[in-house]
Short mmCIF file of all heavy atoms in Angstrom, two decimals:
data_model
loop_
_atom_site.label_atom_id
_atom_site.label_comp_id
_atom_site.label_asym_id
_atom_site.label_seq_id
_atom_site.Cartn_x
_atom_site.Cartn_y
_atom_site.Cartn_z
N LYS R 299 106.22 128.12 87.10
CA LYS R 299 106.30 129.26 88.01
C LYS R 299 105.24 129.25 89.10
O LYS R 299 105.41 129.86 90.15
CB LYS R 299 106.19 130.57 87.22
CG LYS R 299 107.41 130.88 86.36
CD LYS R 299 107.27 132.25 85.69
CE LYS R 299 108.53 132.59 84.90
NZ LYS R 299 108.40 133.93 84.24
N THR R 300 104.12 128.59 88.85
CA THR R 300 103.00 128.58 89.80
C THR R 300 103.17 127.43 90.77
O THR R 300 103.22 126.27 90.35
CB THR R 300 101.66 128.47 89.06
OG1 THR R 300 101.57 129.53 88.11
CG2 THR R 300 100.50 128.55 90.02
N GLY R 301 103.23 127.73 92.08
CA GLY R 301 103.70 126.72 93.02
C GLY R 301 102.70 126.15 94.01
O GLY R 301 103.10 125.42 94.92
N HIS R 302 101.39 126.39 93.84
CA HIS R 302 100.46 125.93 94.86
C HIS R 302 100.41 124.41 94.95
O HIS R 302 100.38 123.85 96.06
CB HIS R 302 99.05 126.49 94.62
CG HIS R 302 98.48 126.23 93.28
ND1 HIS R 302 98.85 126.93 92.17
CD2 HIS R 302 97.54 125.33 92.85
CE1 HIS R 302 98.18 126.50 91.12
NE2 HIS R 302 97.38 125.51 91.50
N CYS R 303 100.42 123.73 93.83
CA CYS R 303 100.39 122.25 93.86
C CYS R 303 101.70 121.70 94.40
O CYS R 303 101.71 120.73 95.18
CB CYS R 303 100.10 121.70 92.47
SG CYS R 303 98.39 121.93 91.92
N LEU R 304 102.81 122.28 93.99
CA LEU R 304 104.11 121.86 94.50
C LEU R 304 104.16 121.99 96.01
O LEU R 304 104.55 121.05 96.73
CB LEU R 304 105.22 122.69 93.87
CG LEU R 304 106.61 122.50 94.47
CD1 LEU R 304 107.15 121.10 94.19
CD2 LEU R 304 107.57 123.57 93.97
N ASN R 305 103.80 123.14 96.54
CA ASN R 305 103.87 123.37 97.98
C ASN R 305 102.94 122.44 98.75
O ASN R 305 103.29 121.95 99.82
CB ASN R 305 103.54 124.83 98.28
CG ASN R 305 104.71 125.76 98.04
OD1 ASN R 305 105.72 125.69 98.71
ND2 ASN R 305 104.57 126.63 97.05
N ASP R 306 101.77 122.19 98.20
CA ASP R 306 100.84 121.28 98.86
C ASP R 306 101.41 119.86 98.92
O ASP R 306 101.35 119.20 99.97
CB ASP R 306 99.51 121.27 98.11
CG ASP R 306 98.47 120.40 98.78
OD1 ASP R 306 97.89 120.83 99.79
OD2 ASP R 306 98.25 119.27 98.30
N LEU R 307 101.98 119.39 97.82
CA LEU R 307 102.56 118.05 97.80
C LEU R 307 103.77 117.95 98.74
O LEU R 307 103.95 116.94 99.43
CB LEU R 307 102.97 117.66 96.38
CG LEU R 307 101.82 117.43 95.40
CD1 LEU R 307 102.36 117.24 93.99
CD2 LEU R 307 100.96 116.23 95.81
N LEU R 308 104.60 118.99 98.76
CA LEU R 308 105.75 118.98 99.66
C LEU R 308 105.30 118.90 101.12
O LEU R 308 105.89 118.16 101.92
CB LEU R 308 106.61 120.23 99.45
CG LEU R 308 107.41 120.30 98.15
CD1 LEU R 308 108.14 121.65 98.05
CD2 LEU R 308 108.40 119.15 98.05
N TYR R 309 104.26 119.64 101.46
CA TYR R 309 103.76 119.60 102.85
C TYR R 309 103.21 118.22 103.19
O TYR R 309 103.53 117.64 104.24
CB TYR R 309 102.69 120.66 103.06
CG TYR R 309 102.05 120.55 104.43
CD1 TYR R 309 102.71 121.01 105.56
CD2 TYR R 309 100.81 119.94 104.59
CE1 TYR R 309 102.14 120.89 106.82
CE2 TYR R 309 100.23 119.81 105.83
CZ TYR R 309 100.91 120.29 106.95
OH TYR R 309 100.34 120.15 108.20
N ARG R 310 102.38 117.67 102.32
CA ARG R 310 101.79 116.35 102.59
C ARG R 310 102.87 115.28 102.68
O ARG R 310 102.76 114.35 103.49
CB ARG R 310 100.76 116.00 101.51
CG ARG R 310 99.53 116.89 101.52
CD ARG R 310 98.62 116.59 100.34
NE ARG R 310 97.57 117.57 100.18
CZ ARG R 310 96.34 117.48 100.72
NH1 ARG R 310 96.04 116.42 101.46
NH2 ARG R 310 95.45 118.42 100.52
N TRP R 311 103.90 115.38 101.85
CA TRP R 311 105.02 114.45 101.93
C TRP R 311 105.77 114.62 103.25
O TRP R 311 106.11 113.64 103.92
CB TRP R 311 105.95 114.70 100.75
CG TRP R 311 107.30 114.06 100.87
CD1 TRP R 311 107.61 112.73 100.71
CD2 TRP R 311 108.53 114.71 101.19
NE1 TRP R 311 108.96 112.52 100.91
CE2 TRP R 311 109.55 113.72 101.21
CE3 TRP R 311 108.87 116.03 101.46
CZ2 TRP R 311 110.88 114.03 101.49
CZ3 TRP R 311 110.20 116.35 101.74
CH2 TRP R 311 111.18 115.35 101.76
N GLN R 312 106.00 115.87 103.63
CA GLN R 312 106.77 116.16 104.85
C GLN R 312 106.08 115.62 106.10
O GLN R 312 106.74 115.11 107.02
CB GLN R 312 106.98 117.67 104.98
CG GLN R 312 107.89 118.09 106.15
CD GLN R 312 108.01 119.59 106.24
OE1 GLN R 312 106.99 120.30 106.22
NE2 GLN R 312 109.23 120.09 106.31
N VAL R 313 104.74 115.70 106.16
CA VAL R 313 104.02 115.26 107.35
C VAL R 313 103.61 113.80 107.26
O VAL R 313 102.92 113.29 108.14
CB VAL R 313 102.78 116.14 107.63
CG1 VAL R 313 103.19 117.57 107.86
CG2 VAL R 313 101.75 116.02 106.51
N GLY R 314 104.00 113.10 106.21
CA GLY R 314 103.76 111.67 106.12
C GLY R 314 102.45 111.26 105.50
O GLY R 314 102.07 110.08 105.57
N GLN R 315 101.74 112.18 104.86
CA GLN R 315 100.47 111.81 104.22
C GLN R 315 100.68 111.11 102.88
O GLN R 315 99.77 110.44 102.40
CB GLN R 315 99.61 113.07 104.01
CG GLN R 315 99.06 113.67 105.29
CD GLN R 315 98.16 114.85 105.03
OE1 GLN R 315 97.82 115.16 103.88
NE2 GLN R 315 97.75 115.54 106.08
N LEU R 316 101.83 111.30 102.28
CA LEU R 316 102.13 110.67 100.99
C LEU R 316 103.37 109.80 101.15
O LEU R 316 104.49 110.32 101.35
CB LEU R 316 102.37 111.73 99.90
CG LEU R 316 101.17 112.59 99.53
CD1 LEU R 316 101.57 113.70 98.57
CD2 LEU R 316 100.05 111.75 98.93
N GLY R 317 103.19 108.48 101.08
CA GLY R 317 104.28 107.55 101.31
C GLY R 317 105.13 107.35 100.07
O GLY R 317 105.04 106.31 99.40
N MET R 318 105.92 108.36 99.75
CA MET R 318 106.75 108.30 98.55
C MET R 318 108.13 108.86 98.87
O MET R 318 108.31 109.61 99.83
CB MET R 318 106.10 109.11 97.42
CG MET R 318 105.91 110.58 97.75
SD MET R 318 104.93 111.44 96.48
CE MET R 318 105.03 113.14 97.07
N ASP R 319 109.10 108.50 98.04
CA ASP R 319 110.44 109.07 98.13
C ASP R 319 110.57 110.11 97.03
O ASP R 319 110.47 109.79 95.85
CB ASP R 319 111.51 108.00 97.96
CG ASP R 319 111.61 107.08 99.16
OD1 ASP R 319 111.19 107.50 100.26
OD2 ASP R 319 112.09 105.94 99.01
N LEU R 320 110.79 111.37 97.43
CA LEU R 320 110.94 112.44 96.46
C LEU R 320 112.38 112.47 95.96
O LEU R 320 113.30 112.83 96.69
CB LEU R 320 110.56 113.78 97.08
CG LEU R 320 109.09 114.15 97.03
CD1 LEU R 320 108.86 115.52 97.65
CD2 LEU R 320 108.56 114.11 95.62
N VAL R 321 112.55 112.08 94.71
CA VAL R 321 113.88 112.02 94.11
C VAL R 321 114.38 113.41 93.75
O VAL R 321 115.54 113.76 94.01
CB VAL R 321 113.84 111.13 92.85
CG1 VAL R 321 115.17 111.19 92.10
CG2 VAL R 321 113.51 109.69 93.23
N ALA R 322 113.51 114.21 93.14
CA ALA R 322 113.92 115.54 92.68
C ALA R 322 112.69 116.34 92.28
O ALA R 322 111.61 115.79 92.04
CB ALA R 322 114.86 115.43 91.47
N VAL R 323 112.89 117.65 92.21
CA VAL R 323 111.92 118.55 91.60
C VAL R 323 112.58 119.14 90.36
O VAL R 323 113.69 119.67 90.43
CB VAL R 323 111.48 119.67 92.56
CG1 VAL R 323 110.61 120.70 91.83
CG2 VAL R 323 110.73 119.09 93.75
N VAL R 324 111.91 119.02 89.23
CA VAL R 324 112.42 119.50 87.95
C VAL R 324 111.58 120.70 87.53
O VAL R 324 110.36 120.67 87.63
CB VAL R 324 112.35 118.40 86.88
CG1 VAL R 324 112.75 118.95 85.50
CG2 VAL R 324 113.24 117.23 87.26
N SER R 325 112.25 121.75 87.06
CA SER R 325 111.52 122.93 86.62
C SER R 325 112.22 123.58 85.43
O SER R 325 113.45 123.50 85.29
CB SER R 325 111.42 123.95 87.76
OG SER R 325 110.69 125.10 87.33
N ASN R 326 111.41 124.24 84.62
CA ASN R 326 111.97 125.03 83.53
C ASN R 326 112.26 126.46 83.96
O ASN R 326 112.64 127.30 83.15
CB ASN R 326 111.05 125.00 82.30
CG ASN R 326 109.63 125.45 82.62
OD1 ASN R 326 109.11 125.19 83.70
ND2 ASN R 326 108.99 126.11 81.67
N HIS R 327 112.08 126.74 85.24
CA HIS R 327 112.40 128.04 85.83
C HIS R 327 113.12 127.82 87.15
O HIS R 327 113.04 126.75 87.76
CB HIS R 327 111.13 128.87 86.05
CG HIS R 327 110.39 129.20 84.79
ND1 HIS R 327 110.76 130.22 83.95
CD2 HIS R 327 109.29 128.62 84.23
CE1 HIS R 327 109.93 130.26 82.92
NE2 HIS R 327 109.02 129.30 83.06
N GLU R 328 113.77 128.88 87.64
CA GLU R 328 114.49 128.81 88.91
C GLU R 328 113.63 129.22 90.12
O GLU R 328 114.10 129.22 91.25
CB GLU R 328 115.72 129.74 88.85
CG GLU R 328 116.84 129.25 87.95
CD GLU R 328 117.73 128.23 88.64
OE1 GLU R 328 117.41 127.83 89.78
OE2 GLU R 328 118.73 127.82 88.04
#
């Protein structure tokens, strides 16, 4: 449920700071 790390990683991926292919996000909550 706590999303600060998720949001930070998504931003860094979006702007090209993390050279990875995001396959999926898995969660036990919606």
